[in-house]
Amino acid sequence: MSKSTWKSSRLEQVVSQWIVGSTPRRANESFFSLDNGLPWVRVEDLTTRNIIKTNQYITAEGRPQVKVVEPNTVLISTAGTIGKTAIAGTQLATNQAIQALFFNEKVVLNAYAYYYLTYKSNELNAMANAFVIRNLTKKSLSEFVIEYPSIEEQRHIVSVLENAEQYWMYKKDSVQLLSEFLPSFFYHVFGEDADNTFPLRNLLKGYIKPANYKESDYSSDGYSVVQNFKGDVLGDISYYQKITPSPKMEILQKNDILLKVYSAEAPQIVIVDKLDTPCIAGSNVLVLRPNPTLISPGYLLSWLKCTPLQQLYKGSMQKRLDINQLLELKVPMHDAQEQYEKQ
């Protein structure tokens, strides 16, 4: 993804609606509710990407005291805690510590801006003034520069990151992947840190090429043979064929990454979670076994999903993955040198 065609603008040039939040008079308790009304977002509510529920709500009586933020608007904390981001999942309001930015989506997608500002949170932090309560004013924020590609490329970036977030939500023990993957992905997108990349094969414990089995190898009992899958995580295996076990067979392990070798459309990639019965890869499946001391398996899954692997599938009739080319792909790594030093 070349950055040569990207544009840059100050936020004030690409935001079509800008709302600085407020707090209704606290003395009037009828303005507030704990369980119904208009969600009222404070910094402590910025815990997920899409904000629908909050700890406090504004009642119908208090609603004239606040400005309503429309769904899909980017929320960013600008007082006390600087740079926490989210997206309005419904109509809501915010307090004065949060600013709401709705972008001109002919130029910049709101979802793209959300990820971009999340990535740039450290820079936003550095812009805040140093009063008793740190504050990033609307004037200062409006001058912050956002870089962006075409709308089509923005959609691709958003799609990649949304797929990765779905995986992180599933893997409750992998919440740290956001801080690992987002900077690395943007390094990849921006073309920065070009030397901080490593061949895929160097980040693996090993890989298992597809094996062909004879009809006589199959039986009613034995190892399950994985041929088809979808989504991000290898799930129900009850429908797979069984094969008679052999000492030469490599049983799939937790965090193995599976790719279909033959693919007419977008390559299918999943990661292995806990399996109740022994499984092996079928004749259409390549197994990558990440070295967790060098790379997070979840990060590698996300990176593979964002990489245009379709160009590695060769053939006029039936397209087959060029495994050697895949293994030579350069994987962008965030703080990769530190990971190598810890092995």
Side-chain angles (χ1 to χ4, degrees), residues 269-285:
I269 310 169
V270 297
I271 194 166
V272 176
D273 197 51
K274 182 180 178 181
L275 297 175
D276 295 328
T277 59
C279 297
I280 62 171
S283 57
N284 187 29
V285 179

Side-chain angles (χ1 to χ4, degrees), residues 261-272:
V261 174
Y262 294 95
S263 180
E265 300 177 355
Q268 291 179 284
I269 310 169
V270 297
I271 194 166
V272 176

Side-chain angles (χ1 to χ4, degrees), residues 126-137:
M127 292 171 59
N129 59 37
F131 294 138
V132 176
I133 298 178
R134 298 181 69 247
N135 183 54
L136 181 58
T137 66

Side-chain angles (χ1 to χ4, degrees), residues 176-214:
Q176 78 280 3
L177 289 178
L178 179 60
S179 60
E180 295 176 5
F181 179 72
L182 189 56
S184 300
F185 180 71
F186 270 92
Y187 284 147
H188 175 58
V189 170
F190 292 162
E192 298 171 357
D193 284 5
D195 293 334
N196 206 20
T197 61
F198 299 86
L200 174 57
R201 72 167 71 243
N202 291 1
L203 302 173
L204 304 176
K205 282 184 176 180
Y207 62 94
I208 305 169
K209 289 185 175 181
N212 292 313
Y213 300 107
K214 302 187 296 291

Side-chain angles (χ1 to χ4, degrees), residues 110-295:
N110 283 290
Y112 172 83
Y114 158 74
Y115 285 118
Y116 186 90
L117 292 172
T118 301
Y119 169 68
K120 294 288 187 177
S121 61
N122 287 339
E123 292 184 29
L124 294 170
N125 242 304
M127 292 171 59
N129 59 37
F131 294 138
V132 176
I133 298 178
R134 298 181 69 247
N135 183 54
L136 181 58
T137 66
K138 178 180 177 181
K139 183 178 185 303
S140 297
L141 185 57
S142 67
E143 295 173 353
F144 185 79
V145 173
I146 183 172
E147 299 174 287
Y148 52 94
S150 67
I151 291 294
E152 182 180 350
E153 287 183 280
Q154 288 181 51
R155 288 196 182 101
H156 169 70
I157 292 169
V158 169
S159 174
V160 169
L161 292 171
E162 286 178 341
N163 285 339
E165 281 189 316
Q166 287 177 7
Y167 173 74
W168 300 324
M169 289 171 64
Y170 179 86
K171 294 286 288 179
K172 295 179 181 178
D173 59 342
S174 298
V175 294
Q176 78 280 3
L177 289 178
L178 179 60
S179 60
E180 295 176 5
F181 179 72
L182 189 56
S184 300
F185 180 71
F186 270 92
Y187 284 147
H188 175 58
V189 170
F190 292 162
E192 298 171 357
D193 284 5
D195 293 334
N196 206 20
T197 61
F198 299 86
L200 174 57
R201 72 167 71 243
N202 291 1
L203 302 173
L204 304 176
K205 282 184 176 180
Y207 62 94
I208 305 169
K209 289 185 175 181
N212 292 313
Y213 300 107
K214 302 187 296 291
E215 190 65 32
S216 59
D217 293 329
Y218 292 92
S219 63
S220 59
D221 193 22
Y223 296 157
S224 295
V225 182
V226 177
Q227 289 281 23
N228 296 299
F229 42 77
K230 60 183 179 179
D232 289 330
V233 180
L234 185 63
D236 183 19
I237 60 171
S238 60
Y239 59 89
Y240 292 141
Q241 286 184 291
K242 303 284 188 179
I243 197 167
T244 304
S246 162
K248 294 182 179 181
M249 294 177 180
E250 286 269 6
I251 297 175
L252 296 180
Q253 300 177 9
K254 181 180 174 68
N255 289 327
D256 280 348
I257 294 175
L258 313 183
L259 294 86
K260 283 195 176 179
V261 174
Y262 294 95
S263 180
E265 300 177 355
Q268 291 179 284
I269 310 169
V270 297
I271 194 166
V272 176
D273 197 51
K274 182 180 178 181
L275 297 175
D276 295 328
T277 59
C279 297
I280 62 171
S283 57
N284 187 29
V285 179
L286 171 69
V287 181
L288 302 179
R289 187 157 291 165
N291 186 336
T293 64
L294 304 181
I295 189 169

